[in-house]
């Protein structure tokens, strides 16, 4: 998995609340049994003029030249709520988004981000709006800098905002770790738990 | 100090404490479906990893499969066949029980897992599907995960989970006539916002919850995720035990007695402490219908479309404004004056036999209004067969409903179908997001009886007028 240490990039504001995973990647855009080929379908309903079409809707923020190459999204509360589809994260990553900054995230979406090297940053709404204002005049010339080691987002003017993240999740992102590998190192502990657990709750394994 | 039901189940599955609030939990059951399960199985195999405990893993076809009669692997959704066939071959090679198309046990994952007795009180169950919280209705710790986490659970038999806080929601008193579990959960979310349950495992309690049958509890827990909760659960009681007895995967004989003795301990102790408690007076709950594009944008059916000016803050006002523009509604309009184009009964929220019986009671001897497209999709092949055995299919068909094969169907884009642009649908489903049921489709969430009444009226209707 791609590591996340520090990132400097163009930030695009999508300051709506409750942006759900159906909006991030509509069902009709999940066409193959694959984690790839989803970037094109990112925000398809807002990004293109027709369902299934590819003609850009000029007013959508990511279609505006000022936000060309955007790699950070600024959004409202409860970003990524709804369906568990990890396709939403795969689509964001393939499009080139490295971090989403919002006042809250759907819980499953948050976990999916960690598993794919996408950094979810939780900051209060007022700070998110402040960051959006700081980059608005010239997004290309005013990138945001995110330092995961320091757990800060630095605005172009220099103001730094601290955010919190569980240490275990921070480590996974910083090192680009695969949680399955980490857990498999605890194999003996799992096996010993399982043996006593099966004795304790046998009906779950041998219904009789 | 006593323990909550959640704490008891959590502790029972704790393999190890990791950093911070994270624990490694043992997972008793993994359920998969063809949309997200296909990718998890494929990716696991590509990484050279094996399913650790295939006998604890189950799979169904519900998300992509067509629900039209005479269906096969071919779907209207482009590429659907590959999802179905990948799932089938990966399930077979991993040795996983698959409820395939044509299997009498096939159906929506959160309908068939209880129906088969796969979810049981006190067990941990995960599925790469957000509505897995439904299954907490049996007193299990069940929650939705992503595909990568599903791979983790399949490969290691465990998950690394950040411990949620505890919230008890007490539904006190008795439900008024015409009001059910769907109205309870919509009412809760409307009153406390979609963020109200964030970070919590919710125990639904109180006299009204104890009165609910298991299928209604499944509806209640189903939308815990719309309340942003980690999951919802109900303490298992005699209703839960009676429901499970004799189901194919439920314990039998001596194992049943052993299980029962344990299940009876699965309740929050009287002196257990919850991080938060919400009390709801059931007398104040009316049939509830959503008018916006978030489940919190819902009101009593007798209410009017609200004005953005009445919102709590600027962000909420903007969201109402945007929702009303999308929904084609203006403030002040009575909900019961809104005409509908379509009515949908189905989904993991409300497609069980009791839902269909209740809707059929409203429809019997009545006709769907002219011009309204009405569809009923039973939640499982067993629900469909049971409904047909008691003649419910005739009631739906004679009223003017389509009667389908089971699956997720038009809750979203399953089977590649949608209702069409700016079509207004009253729907027994769980999400009224923009374009959820198809590009620009306008969704109003409601209970199955409200959907049935509205289908007959041709507009959003107060089902209480049909019960007199």
């Amino acid at each position: 998995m791609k590591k996340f240490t520090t990132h400097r990039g163009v930030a695009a504001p999508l300051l709506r609340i409750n942006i759900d995973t159906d909006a991030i990647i509509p069902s009709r855009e999940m066409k193959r049994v694959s984690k790839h080929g989803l970037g094109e379908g990112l925000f398809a309903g807002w990004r293109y003029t027709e369902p299934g079409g590819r003609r850009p809707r000029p007013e959508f923020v990511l279609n505006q030249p000022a936000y060309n190459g955007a790699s950070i999204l600024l959004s409202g509360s409860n970003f990524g709520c709804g369906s568990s589809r990890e396709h939403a994260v795969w689509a964001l990553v393939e499009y080139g988004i490295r971090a989403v900054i919002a006042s809250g995230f759907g819980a499953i979406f948050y976990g999916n981000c960690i598993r794919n090297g996408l950094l979810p940053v939780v900051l209060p709404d007022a700070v998110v709006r402040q960051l959006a204002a700081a980059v608005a005049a010239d997004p290309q010339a005013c990138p945001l800098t995110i330092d995961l080691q320091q757990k800060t987002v630095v605005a172009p003017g220099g103001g730094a905002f601290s955010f919190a993240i569980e240490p275990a999740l921070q480590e996974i992102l910083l090192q680009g770790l695969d949680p399955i590998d980490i857990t498999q190192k605890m194999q003996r502990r799992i096996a010993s738990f399982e043996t006593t657990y099966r004795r304790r709750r046998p009906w779950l394994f041998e219904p009789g | 100090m006593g323990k909550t039901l959640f704490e008891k189940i959590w502790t029972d599955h704790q393999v190890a404490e990791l950093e911070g609030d994270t624990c490694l939990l043992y997972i008793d059951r993994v359920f998969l479906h063809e949309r997200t399960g296909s990718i998890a199985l494929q990716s696991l195999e590509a990484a050279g990893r094996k399913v650790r405990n295939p006998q604890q893993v189950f799979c169904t076809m519900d998300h992509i499969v067509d629900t039209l009669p005479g269906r096969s692997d071919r779907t209207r959704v482009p590429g659907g066949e590959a999802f179905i066939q990948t799932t089938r071959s990966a399930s077979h090679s991993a040795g996983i029980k698959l409820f395939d198309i044509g299997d009498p046990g096939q159906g929506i994952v959160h309908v068939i897992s209880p129906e088969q007795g796969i979810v049981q009180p006190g067990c941990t169950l995960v599925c790469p599907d957000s509505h897995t919280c439904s299954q907490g209705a049996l007193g299990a710790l069940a929650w939705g995960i992503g595909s990568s986490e599903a791979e983790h659970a399949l490969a290691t038999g465990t998950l690394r989970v950040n411990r949620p806080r505890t919230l008890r929601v007490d539904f006190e008193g008795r439900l008024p006539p015409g009001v059910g579990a769907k109205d309870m959960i919509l009412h809760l979310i409307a009153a406390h916002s979609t963020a109200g349950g964030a970070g919590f495992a919710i125990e639904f309690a109180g006299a009204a919850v104890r009165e609910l049958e298991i299928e209604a509890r499944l509806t209640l827990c189903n939308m815990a995720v719309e309340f942003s909760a980690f999951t919802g659960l109900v303490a298992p009681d005699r209703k839960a035990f009676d429901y499970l007895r004799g189901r194919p995967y439920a314990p039998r004989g001596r194992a049943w007695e052993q299980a029962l003795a344990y299940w009876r301990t699965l309740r929050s102790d009287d002196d257990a402490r919850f991080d938060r408690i919400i009390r709801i007076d059931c007398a104040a709950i009316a049939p509830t219908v959503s008018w916006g594009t978030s489940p919190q944008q819902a009101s009593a059916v007798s209410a009017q479309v609200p004005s953005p000016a009445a919102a709590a803050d600027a962000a909420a006002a903007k969201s109402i404004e945007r929702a009303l523009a999308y929904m084609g509604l203006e403030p002040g309009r009575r909900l019961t004056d809104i005409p509908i184009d379509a009515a949908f009964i189905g989904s993991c929220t409300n497609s069980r036999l009791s839902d269909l019986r209740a809707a059929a009671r409203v429809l019997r001897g009545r006709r769907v209004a002219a011009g309204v497209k009405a569809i009923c999709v039973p939640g499982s092949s067993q629900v469909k067969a049971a409904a047909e055995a008691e003649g419910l299919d005739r009631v739906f068909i004679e009223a003017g409903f389509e009667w389908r094969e089971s699956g997720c169907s038009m809750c979203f884009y399953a089977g590649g179908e949608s209702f069409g642009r700016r079509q207004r649908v009253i729907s027994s489903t769980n999400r009224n997001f923009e374009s959820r049921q198809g590009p620009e489709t306008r969704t109003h969430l409601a209970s199955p009886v409200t959907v049935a009444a509205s289908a007959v009226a041709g507009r959003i209707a107060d089902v209480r007028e049909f019960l007199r």
Side-chain angles (χ1 to χ4, degrees):
Chain A
M1 193 180 76
K2 201 167 169 183
K3 290 181 188 179
F4 192 110
T5 48
T6 60
H7 177 74
R8 190 178 163 85
V10 174
L14 210 56
L15 298 176
R16 293 177 54 177
I17 60 173
N18 294 324
I19 292 182
D20 60 84
T21 51
D22 275 81
I24 298 171
I25 182 96
S27 283
R28 62 177 182 280
E29 294 289 345
M30 305 183 324
K31 297 169 188 162
R32 281 178 296 275
V33 189
S34 174
K35 302 178 179 183
H36 307 287
L38 295 156
E40 254 199 26
L42 179 70
F43 296 122
W46 299 338
R47 190 168 152 200
Y48 305 117
T49 54
E50 289 294 321
R54 289 293 180 260
R55 196 144 48 87
R57 198 192 287 263
E59 64 272 25
F60 182 63
V61 62
L62 295 177
N63 291 334
Q64 294 168 17
Y67 296 100
N68 229 341
S71 57
I72 300 170
L73 284 184
L74 299 167
S75 191
S77 63
N78 210 15
F79 187 89
C81 61
S83 159
S84 68
R85 60 185 74 164
E86 200 160 318
H87 307 69
V89 171
W90 297 328
L92 285 162
V93 169
E94 189 171 297
Y95 180 87
I97 302 297
R98 297 294 331 268
V100 183
I101 305 177
S103 62
F105 291 89
I108 303 173
F109 178 85
Y110 189 92
N112 289 342
C113 285
I114 304 293
R115 307 279 165 157
N116 291 279
L118 177 66
L119 176 65
V121 177
V122 181
L123 282 171
D125 275 321
V127 173
V128 178
R129 281 197 298 274
Q130 207 175 324
L131 291 171
V135 304
D138 189 351
Q140 296 290 333
C142 303
L144 294 181
T145 305
I146 304 173
D147 184 332
L148 180 57
Q149 191 79 60
Q150 300 298 322
K151 295 185 280 184
T152 56
V153 177
V154 182
F161 302 92
S162 295
F163 61 90
I165 182 168
E166 276 285 314
L169 305 183
Q170 181 188 16
E171 205 50 31
I172 285 171
L173 286 167
L174 283 171
Q175 308 290 334
L177 302 173
D178 179 348
I180 299 181
D181 289 337
I182 310 174
T183 302
Q184 277 180 334
K185 293 196 181 109
M186 301 172 72
Q187 201 55 253
R188 283 176 58 182
R189 206 153 163 192
I190 295 170
S192 110
F193 176 92
E194 193 169 50
T195 309
T196 42
Y197 181 77
R198 282 174 183 245
R199 245 181 262 138
R200 193 159 79 236
R201 313 278 175 240
W203 59 86
L204 284 167
F205 311 95
E206 297 290 336
Chain B
M1 197 176 62
K3 289 167 102 183
T4 64
L5 168 61
F6 163 79
E7 286 164 331
K8 289 180 184 179
I9 305 176
W10 179 278
T11 313
D12 196 44
H13 290 84
Q14 200 170 296
V15 177
E17 288 190 53
L18 307 172
E19 304 90 333
D21 282 335
T22 306
C23 285
L24 189 68
L25 291 189
Y26 188 74
I27 303 299
D28 296 317
R29 303 277 188 262
V30 182
F31 230 116
L32 304 171
H33 59 63
E34 80 277 31
R35 185 160 81 187
T36 57
S38 52
I39 296 188
L41 288 172
Q42 181 179 274
S43 166
L44 195 73
E45 202 177 320
R49 290 170 172 147
K50 290 223 155 6
V51 176
R52 192 169 187 275
N53 296 312
Q55 73 288 359
Q56 289 163 245
V57 184
F58 302 84
C59 187
T60 188
M61 302 283 193
D62 58 2
H63 268 63
I64 286 174
V65 64
D66 276 359
T67 53
L68 292 163
R71 65 183 172 185
S72 66
D73 287 5
R74 300 279 293 276
T75 61
R76 288 177 156 209
V77 56
E81 200 170 354
F83 283 88
I84 289 169
Q85 293 176 351
T86 303
T87 302
R88 183 178 296 134
S89 65
S91 297
H92 289 167
S93 61
I96 293 168
K97 166 66 190 171
L98 168 68
F99 297 96
D100 206 343
I101 302 166
D103 184 314
Q106 177 274 342
I108 303 174
V109 46
H110 314 306
V111 177
I112 68 169
S113 176
E115 195 172 77
Q116 294 287 333
I118 290 168
V119 62
Q120 294 173 20
C123 81
T124 50
L125 181 148
V126 295
C127 172
D129 187 280
S130 61
H131 289 107
T132 307
C133 52
S134 314
Q135 301 189 40
L138 272 304
L141 193 60
W143 70 97
I145 54 175
S147 300
S148 297
E149 284 212 282
E151 284 182 52
H152 189 290
L154 291 168
T156 69
T158 65
L159 272 181
R160 312 168 81 86
V161 195
N162 197 9
R163 186 189 178 109
R165 291 177 297 151
T166 52
L167 162 65
R168 196 179 74 209
V169 178
D170 291 334
F171 283 97
E172 292 168 344
R174 286 175 71 94
L175 291 173
V179 176
K182 181 63 160 288
D183 304 299
M184 292 163 76
I185 190 70
L186 284 173
H187 179 92
L188 173 70
I189 297 171
H192 293 271
S193 93
T194 49
F200 289 110
I202 304 175
E203 181 174 341
F204 292 108
V209 173
R210 286 194 295 274
E211 281 296 308
L212 292 179
E213 296 303 323
I214 297 304
E215 295 189 352
R217 293 179 190 176
L218 285 157
T219 300
L220 184 66
C221 292
N222 175 269
M223 289 184 68
V225 66
E226 272 66 50
F227 198 42
S228 299
F230 170 74
T231 190
L233 68 173
V234 176
D237 56 5
R238 230 174 99 180
K239 285 184 178 175
F241 311 147
D242 289 346
Y243 175 92
L244 284 169
R245 195 192 302 270
R247 304 233 169 222
Y249 289 87
R252 291 179 294 276
R254 209 177 89 77
W256 171 263
E257 294 307 323
Q258 235 179 333
L260 201 58
Y262 172 59
W263 293 348
R264 287 194 171 120
T265 68
L266 291 174
R267 49 184 290 278
S268 291
D269 297 326
D270 293 338
D271 56 344
R273 209 189 67 81
F274 287 83
D275 294 305
R276 192 179 170 209
I277 292 178
I278 292 177
R279 292 198 171 87
I280 304 267
D281 174 12
C282 288
I285 307 179
T288 305
V289 180
S290 75
W291 44 262
T293 55
S294 159
Q296 77 184 40
Q297 294 172 327
S299 305
V301 68
S302 52
Q304 300 171 356
V305 174
S307 159
D313 56 64
K318 215 168 166 183
S319 138
I320 294 178
E321 216 174 277
R322 193 180 162 118
L324 296 188
Y326 179 88
M327 295 297 289
L329 296 172
E330 55 295 321
R333 187 149 170 205
R334 301 180 72 85
L335 294 181
T336 49
D337 285 343
I338 300 173
I340 55 160
D341 303 299
F344 181 78
I345 295 178
S347 87
C348 56
T349 318
N350 281 123
S351 63
R352 298 176 182 85
L353 190 58
S354 54
D355 296 318
L356 305 191
R357 281 181 182 153
R361 273 197 292 278
V362 174
L363 292 174
R364 192 163 279 134
R366 294 190 169 106
R367 288 279 310 164
V368 169
V372 171
K373 180 187 175 88
I375 298 174
C376 178
V377 182
S380 72
S381 298
Q382 279 198 20
V383 168
K384 180 171 183 268
E388 287 172 354
E390 53 187 82
L392 300 184
D393 57 326
R394 298 312 315 162
V395 177
F396 278 95
I397 292 164
E398 279 159 22
F401 267 78
E402 280 181 47
W403 180 253
R404 295 278 191 102
E405 296 292 341
S406 90
C408 300
S409 191
M410 288 159 87
C411 173
F412 45 96
Y413 186 62
E417 292 177 275
S418 64
F419 285 100
R421 275 192 157 161
R422 299 190 185 174
Q423 292 293 293
R424 190 180 298 286
V425 187
I426 186 132
S427 181
S428 76
T429 55
N430 41 50
R431 289 188 176 136
N432 52 343
F433 300 157
E434 282 185 21
S435 301
R436 164 83 173 176
Q437 289 189 296
E440 292 181 45
T441 298
R442 295 163 171 167
T443 304
H444 293 271
L445 304 176
S447 71
V449 289
T450 295
V451 173
S454 304
V456 170
R459 54 177 174 76
I460 293 177
D462 188 336
V463 67
R464 291 171 296 195
E465 289 166 15
F466 286 70
L467 300 174
R468 279 177 197 145

